[in-house]
Amino acid sequence: MARAEKKARSCPVHAFQKLVSGKYKLRIVWDLQSCPRRYGDIRRGLLVGQDGTKEIAARVLSRELKALCDAGILERKDYGELPLRVEYSLTLSGRSLLPVIESMHNWGFKHLV
Amino acid sequence: MARAEKKARSCPVHAFQKLVSGKYKLRIVWDLQSCPRRYGDIRRGLLVGQDGTKEIAARVLSRELKALCDAGILERKDYGELPLRVEYSLTLSGRSLLPVIESMHNWGFKHLV
DNA sequence: CAGCATCCTGCGTGATACTG
DNA sequence: CAGTATCACGCAGGATGCTG
């Protein structure tokens, strides 16, 4: 199921880190846990900086989404409608990532923030 | 317990990601789980690339270690001996990080590697 | 041995404009 | 609306040499 590059003997932690590298990948997955979302919804609302962060650049979001799709974490569904409508949702593999992110979330909530 | 910058309303996941940003921080913590280690031990053996990765640059390792110390994850103990001898160990806060890293490790081991 | 000081390079991120 | 095309830039990461 689409595991990109299976580096021979590399460290799992490092491999994981590389997979979710980038400022937004983890947050995207986390934000999709309850339901699929459209491109614009992910962009606005979810990633707009509550803490002063700027809105994510379209180009960046595109790349992160594409990377996640290529990694088999997300699925992209194009409805072929007009105006354009594309929805992103978690795959099974993506869902399996949620507990991991949750542990990060909880730790961060306790020790940081 | 040294929490650096407590960004007001920032996302815990993102805060966590920032804290452990860098290629080696997580692996360093992970490698220190069983016992304290010396600077050189961390550098050699542990971080030398089993998968072809080069040895970490001294400057980089220094920075990562310092950042982890500043974050209250690691503790630095200088024995004041000659030849120089410095040991790094996990603090309580650092230990609390282990389950989180473990979940990443397990996921990575299952889905990547 | 455990690091700093310097210099250098690539890539991740971002801003702006444009398109089907 | 959901992107792609360009251009620009800071900084993490690396290489080399030096020191107490």
Side-chain angles (χ1 to χ4, degrees):
Chain A
M1 52 269 293
R3 57 276 317 277
E5 348 111 42
K6 265 206 172 212
K7 289 259 185 125
R9 246 146 321 185
S10 93
C11 164
V13 175
H14 188 226
F16 178 90
Q17 228 183 157
K18 281 193 62 175
L19 182 76
V20 298
S21 67
K23 281 175 71 172
Y24 305 98
K25 293 202 187 70
L26 286 179
R27 288 159 76 185
I28 291 170
V29 173
W30 187 245
D31 288 336
L32 286 177
Q33 65 178 300
S34 46
C35 60
R37 287 190 199 279
R38 303 177 57 173
Y39 179 94
D41 292 334
I42 297 176
R43 183 145 189 241
R44 290 183 309 276
L46 298 176
L47 296 170
V48 178
Q50 305 92 327
D51 58 326
T53 313
K54 297 301 191 118
E55 188 174 72
I56 181 175
R59 186 178 147 280
V60 176
L61 181 54
S62 294
R63 272 211 326 211
E64 306 255 356
L65 288 172
K66 188 163 197 319
L68 288 170
C69 287
D70 290 349
I73 308 288
L74 293 191
E75 189 166 17
R76 194 190 106 113
K77 170 147 195 184
D78 188 333
Y79 285 84
E81 298 176 358
L82 265 170
L84 293 188
R85 174 193 169 100
V86 178
E87 274 191 1
Y88 292 89
S89 56
L90 294 178
T91 62
L92 270 185
S93 177
R95 295 221 150 269
S96 73
L97 214 49
L98 289 174
V100 184
I101 304 179
E102 187 181 14
S103 69
M104 295 188 227
H105 181 273
N106 291 339
W107 196 95
F109 189 71
K110 254 187 122 163
H111 298 75
L112 315 160
V113 183
Chain B
M1 45 271 302
R3 57 273 319 276
E5 348 112 41
K6 266 208 173 211
K7 289 256 183 128
R9 244 148 322 180
S10 93
C11 165
V13 175
H14 188 226
F16 178 89
Q17 227 181 157
K18 281 191 61 174
L19 181 77
V20 298
S21 68
K23 280 174 71 173
Y24 305 99
K25 294 201 186 71
L26 286 179
R27 290 160 75 187
I28 292 170
V29 173
W30 188 245
D31 287 335
L32 286 177
Q33 66 179 301
S34 46
C35 62
R37 286 191 199 280
R38 301 178 59 173
Y39 178 94
D41 292 334
I42 297 176
R43 183 143 189 241
R44 289 182 311 276
L46 297 176
L47 296 170
V48 178
Q50 306 92 328
D51 58 327
T53 311
K54 299 300 193 120
E55 188 174 73
I56 181 174
R59 187 178 146 280
V60 176
L61 180 54
S62 295
R63 270 209 328 211
E64 304 254 311
L65 288 172
K66 187 164 197 320
L68 287 170
C69 287
D70 290 348
I73 307 289
L74 293 191
E75 189 167 17
R76 195 189 106 113
K77 171 147 196 186
D78 188 331
Y79 285 84
E81 298 176 358
L82 263 170
L84 293 187
R85 174 194 169 102
V86 179
E87 274 190 0
Y88 291 89
S89 57
L90 294 178
T91 62
L92 269 185
S93 178
R95 297 220 148 269
S96 73
L97 213 50
L98 288 175
V100 184
I101 304 179
E102 188 181 14
S103 68
M104 295 189 227
H105 182 272
N106 291 338
W107 196 96
F109 190 70
K110 255 188 121 163
H111 299 75
L112 314 161
V113 183

